[in-house]
Amino acid sequence: EFRLYSDLSNTSSIIIGTYVKFLSETDDASGYLFAGDASKYDGSFDINNIAGYMQYEQKLNHRFTLSLNTRFETNQIKYSGKSNYYGNNDTTITFETEDVLAGFRSALQYNINANAMMYGSISRGYKSGGINQNPYLSQANRSYEPEYNWNYETGLKTYTSNMQSQLTLFYMNRVEQQVNISSQQEEGNPNTFYFYTANATTGYNFGMEFEHAF
């Protein structure tokens, strides 16, 4: 990761950065696997992430501060897996996905006084898609799409030299929500129910959080 920070003036600043990650994961398992449908499994994931991001902060006056963030990312996954059914029927799966993801956050802070502030924010986050390992899934259930989250948050913070309190209210709307489900993969064979990750249409989280430190 490389990040550049600059004070544009006494009232504004900017951060520009880039992030790169190359991850390789291998699995070598033997025993009673996939509910007994395999005795040996070898698999590998190669995951590449490349992202760029920026944050701009501007003091509008002595009470209000505006913050804007954005991030763009590409996520590429290559998967290869081979399973063996007790010495017979090797099954080899290769699959590849690539997602282009974008998120942002805008927040407005109001300084009530030297020891208290309020804020509100709107943001769009994401979770990248992925590939299910189970070799006996159908091609339609092999991968799942990214999940996007719209977040709305408001809060109040108070602080002194030895105490800090924070109250936050939040609501999250989840689009293409990633969930763990099971379904029958072969028509007419009730023994082919497998668990895997898939996308539901929508979901939501909401709540309140209070934190106090002394």
Side-chain angles (χ1 to χ4, degrees):
E1 182 171 6
F2 176 79
R3 182 182 302 179
L4 177 65
Y5 172 84
S6 176
D7 285 319
L8 300 177
S9 66
N10 292 331
T11 60
S12 63
S13 64
I14 190 170
I15 298 173
I16 299 175
T18 183
Y19 172 85
V20 178
K21 181 176 75 172
F22 302 108
L23 172 67
S24 294
E25 176 184 311
T26 58
D27 297 295
D28 182 3
S30 60
Y32 189 82
L33 307 175
F34 305 114
D37 287 330
S39 60
K40 184 170 178 54
Y41 168 79
D42 297 301
S44 66
F45 280 97
D46 290 311
I47 304 173
N48 300 329
N49 297 90
I50 301 175
Y53 58 87
M54 181 181 71
Q55 174 179 295
Y56 176 75
E57 190 170 284
Q58 174 71 54
K59 291 184 178 179
L60 304 178
N61 52 42
H62 70 287
R63 291 204 181 269
F64 286 96
T65 300
L66 177 67
S67 179
L68 302 173
N69 301 38
T70 187
R71 179 185 177 98
F72 295 92
E73 178 176 339
T74 61
N75 176 267
Q76 183 185 63
I77 304 175
K78 295 181 179 180
Y79 168 72
S80 176
K82 182 178 180 181
S83 62
N84 185 277
Y85 182 72
Y86 300 92
N88 300 300
N89 303 327
D90 281 351
T91 301
T92 301
I93 302 292
T94 58
F95 208 91
E96 182 175 340
T97 64
E98 184 171 359
D99 299 317
V100 178
L101 307 162
F104 76 91
R105 180 178 184 268
S106 59
L108 184 64
Q109 176 181 315
Y110 174 68
N111 297 312
I112 301 172
N113 53 46
N115 300 106
M117 58 85 76
M118 297 178 62
Y119 72 93
S121 70
I122 300 174
S123 62
R124 181 182 188 257
Y126 55 80
K127 294 167 62 179
S128 64
I131 301 172
N132 291 297
Q133 286 180 286
N134 192 318
Y136 306 109
L137 291 174
S138 67
Q139 194 76 352
N141 300 136
R142 176 62 54 196
S143 64
Y144 51 93
E145 299 299 316
E147 174 182 331
Y148 292 96
N149 301 321
W150 285 90
N151 305 284
Y152 308 91
E153 185 174 307
T154 184
L156 171 67
K157 294 182 181 180
T158 61
Y159 33 85
T160 64
S161 59
N162 60 356
M163 284 193 301
Q164 178 175 312
S165 297
Q166 178 174 338
L167 176 66
T168 304
L169 304 175
F170 62 88
Y171 180 89
M172 176 193 293
N173 183 37
R174 305 176 66 180
V175 182
E176 294 291 337
Q177 180 180 358
Q178 294 175 5
V179 294
N180 189 39
I181 65 172
S182 68
S183 67
Q184 184 173 322
Q185 298 298 298
E186 295 180 18
E187 185 177 356
N189 185 355
N191 293 320
T192 59
F193 273 86
Y194 301 115
F195 282 97
Y196 58 95
T197 301
N199 296 97
T201 51
T202 59
Y204 61 90
N205 301 346
F206 65 91
M208 177 179 68
E209 180 179 274
F210 177 74
E211 179 180 334
H212 179 74
F214 177 78

